[in-house]
Each structure stands twice: as C-alpha cells, then as structure tokens.
Amino acid sequence: MSSALEDQARRPAVFFDRDGVLNMDIGYLFESHKLVWIDGAREAVKAVNDMGYFAFVVTNQSGVARGLYEEAHVQQLHDWMADELGKIGAHIDAFEYCPFHPEGTVERYRQISHRRKPAPGMINDLLKRFPVDAERSFLVGDQPTDIAAARAAGLKGYLFSGPNLETFVRPLLLVG
C-alpha cells in the first residue's frame, strides 16, 4: 500500500502519439522544415503542462528500420519540436520512439519489439521512470494501435481525428 506522500508525488500524464496527433502525418517525417503542427497541438501540450500533468510522446518510427532516416534524425526532430514548444512556455517531459519493425531493411532494427505499438513497452517504460498516476492518465492517438497500446498498459485511450487538439484534450483533463 502506498503512503499519502507517494500518492501526492504522483501526477497524471498525457501520452501523445506524434504523427497525426501533434503534427500532420505526411509519412516518415524526420525533417523539421516539413513538420506542420496540428491545429491546437502546441496549446494542448501547454494546457497539459499547466494542469500539472506529465506530457509524453510515444511514437513508432519504422522509417529507421526501413533505412529512410537515422535515429539521430528522430532525436533532432524531437529537439526541434521541444524548442518550438518552449517558445510558448510548453514542454514534453519525455519523447519515446520505437525504431524497430519486423520487416525493416536495416538488419539491426529488423525485429519485433515490445516497444512498438500496439505493444505497451514505451508507455510501460515511462510509467517505470516517472511517478505517474496511471488511474488519471490517458493516451491520445490517431490509430487503433495507439489505443490498443494504452489499454495494454492499463490506461484510457482516446482516438483523435481532428481538427483541433487543444479543443479535444482540454475536456479530458477535467475528467481525470
């Protein structure tokens, strides 16, 4: 049984899928000049921050396994996104990505991974690293695999189909 102090230290989290939720899904995005934010995406992250929630990104990046770009490109894009969010006083607490795919062309990335959604590995890893109140946490994704990953990790999952992420997320923050 956890103590009241431990419960107090725990915070809810919002787990965001990246492509199709935070930014337009153009397929195998790795260049910042091609990133187009979804309407309200930056403001949604700021709302999550302002409510005291953790903000996480969990994204499959099979383009690495397919040889289309390197892990360094994913990290550079995430750094750029973090800088852009910082301009409005928003932040992501952790970016997690899975570079693996069982049909990859790059041998070291050609594998089944417990971190690739719909598996819950990225979410579970974050739940271990951060003091997250899972009961009050949720994931926002745009694909059934995102929702499946959330459920497998014991979280609520919400399917986002547009048009404005802030409008979608704000009422969910009040439900928790």
Side-chain angles (χ1 to χ4, degrees):
M1 194 90 184
S2 62
S3 72
L5 185 61
E6 285 174 336
D7 288 342
Q8 194 174 10
R10 291 184 121 35
R11 293 168 35 205
V14 178
F15 296 79
F16 292 100
D17 175 46
R18 195 188 81 187
D19 302 327
V21 174
L22 292 177
N23 56 269
M24 297 296 231
D25 189 351
I26 62 168
Y28 305 113
L29 172 69
F30 67 95
E31 298 159 297
S32 60
H33 71 274
K34 292 185 178 176
L35 185 141
V36 177
W37 291 97
I38 294 278
D39 287 342
R42 287 170 286 194
E43 297 78 8
V45 173
K46 182 150 179 27
V48 166
N49 298 155
D50 291 348
M51 289 289 289
Y53 284 55
F54 288 111
F56 299 128
V57 171
V58 288
T59 178
N60 288 343
Q61 291 298 312
S62 70
V64 175
R66 297 173 197 278
L68 302 173
Y69 47 88
E70 304 278 332
E71 283 192 74
H73 295 122
V74 177
Q75 291 162 349
Q76 287 165 2
L77 181 62
H78 290 167
D79 289 346
W80 180 87
M81 292 174 78
D83 289 345
E84 290 296 302
L85 287 164
K87 290 176 182 176
I88 65 158
H91 70 274
I92 297 293
D93 291 286
F95 286 90
E96 293 291 320
Y97 67 93
C98 178
F100 303 106
H101 193 280
E103 295 163 21
T105 55
V106 179
E107 188 173 345
R108 75 175 188 261
Y109 295 111
R110 184 175 49 243
Q111 60 182 276
I112 294 168
S113 172
H114 73 284
R115 289 174 52 86
R116 182 171 174 75
K117 294 178 289 179
M122 287 186 283
I123 298 168
N124 287 338
D125 288 349
L126 288 164
L127 292 174
K128 287 177 196 150
R129 281 183 22 227
F130 291 86
V132 174
D133 178 350
E135 286 285 309
R136 293 169 46 217
S137 300
F138 60 90
L139 177 142
V140 178
D142 69 324
Q143 299 294 325
T145 50
D146 298 320
I147 307 310
R151 289 197 180 124
L155 300 180
K156 293 181 280 290
Y158 298 98
L159 207 53
F160 174 72
S161 58
N164 186 296
L165 189 61
E166 182 186 19
T167 305
F168 184 84
V169 167
R170 273 198 184 276
L172 299 175
L173 297 172
L174 304 175
V175 172

